[in-house]
Amino acid sequence: MTKIGILTCSNTTQELGCSSYLCFQDFNERAGAFARYKDLDDKPVIAGIINCAGCPTAHAPEKLLGRIKSLTEIGLNAIHLATCVTLLCPFKERYLNMLKNTFPDIDFIEGTHGHAPGVTPEMFVGAMKHMLTQQKPSISSIIKKTIKKP
Ligand code: SF4
């Protein structure tokens, strides 16, 4: 059985609440980057999914290694970097090089879901930027009303 894992971006899962619906939908339909499994005789399964460990700074991409253990230690054949990671992550190339060197027996593949008809990668990125930069109310908006003036 081909066992697959997915690494997602914590901006989309933790900040925006993505449930990885599109990744699972395209996996179930063998679409997007999962089309490669269409003709497999065995029944591929998604065995695990986890989001990245958050910003590693420019100096510590190895931070991801501890995080991705939960996927690399369960006997996977392949790990897909989710489409959000491939389009948004400035560390993608460094992550990929490090992961391929550290886990030579696992295939690391860029991408999971495709895009809806008429939606370009640029539109996807623009929508993500819009959502990530929405101003949320903060506790300071309440606190400042209680600050006593001298
Ligand atoms: S390091 Fe990359 S994958 Fe992780 S939150 Fe930042 S942009 Fe997303």
Side-chain angles (χ1 to χ4, degrees):
M1 179 195 294
T2 301
K3 289 167 74 176
I4 298 162
I6 298 177
L7 174 72
T8 57
C9 170
S10 57
N11 277 305
T12 54
T13 56
Q14 305 298 298
E15 294 285 326
L16 302 179
C18 179
S19 63
S20 305
Y21 173 83
L22 290 176
C23 297
F24 280 92
Q25 177 177 262
D26 272 9
F27 174 76
N28 291 334
E29 295 175 0
R30 302 291 186 267
F34 299 114
R36 63 199 290 123
Y37 303 115
K38 236 180 195 157
D39 300 323
L40 277 191
D41 288 338
D42 70 355
K43 208 170 158 37
V45 294
I46 292 181
I49 181 165
I50 197 162
N51 58 267
C52 89
C55 175
T57 80
H59 304 284
E62 295 83 2
K63 182 180 176 188
L64 181 63
L65 293 177
R67 182 73 171 172
I68 208 166
K69 260 189 196 168
S70 59
L71 294 181
T72 56
E73 292 181 348
I74 56 175
L76 296 178
N77 304 95
I79 294 177
H80 284 245
L81 271 56
T83 297
C84 55
V85 177
T86 65
L87 290 176
L88 301 172
C89 183
F91 307 105
K92 182 191 75 173
E93 293 304 328
R94 294 181 71 184
Y95 279 165
L96 268 176
N97 287 337
M98 180 185 69
L99 292 169
K100 285 177 181 175
N101 286 333
T102 310
F103 306 105
D105 296 335
I106 299 176
D107 276 341
F108 288 92
I109 297 156
E110 292 189 45
T112 47
H113 62 80
H115 298 284
V119 177
T120 64
E122 291 74 22
M123 290 162 77
F124 179 86
V125 170
M128 293 293 294
K129 178 178 177 180
H130 176 72
M131 287 186 282
L132 286 167
T133 53
Q134 290 291 305
Q135 291 297 312
K136 295 179 197 154
S138 81
I139 196 78
S140 65
S141 62
I142 298 169
I143 292 171
K144 74 181 176 194
K145 288 182 190 153
T146 70
I147 295 174
K148 296 191 178 109
K149 301 227 162 59

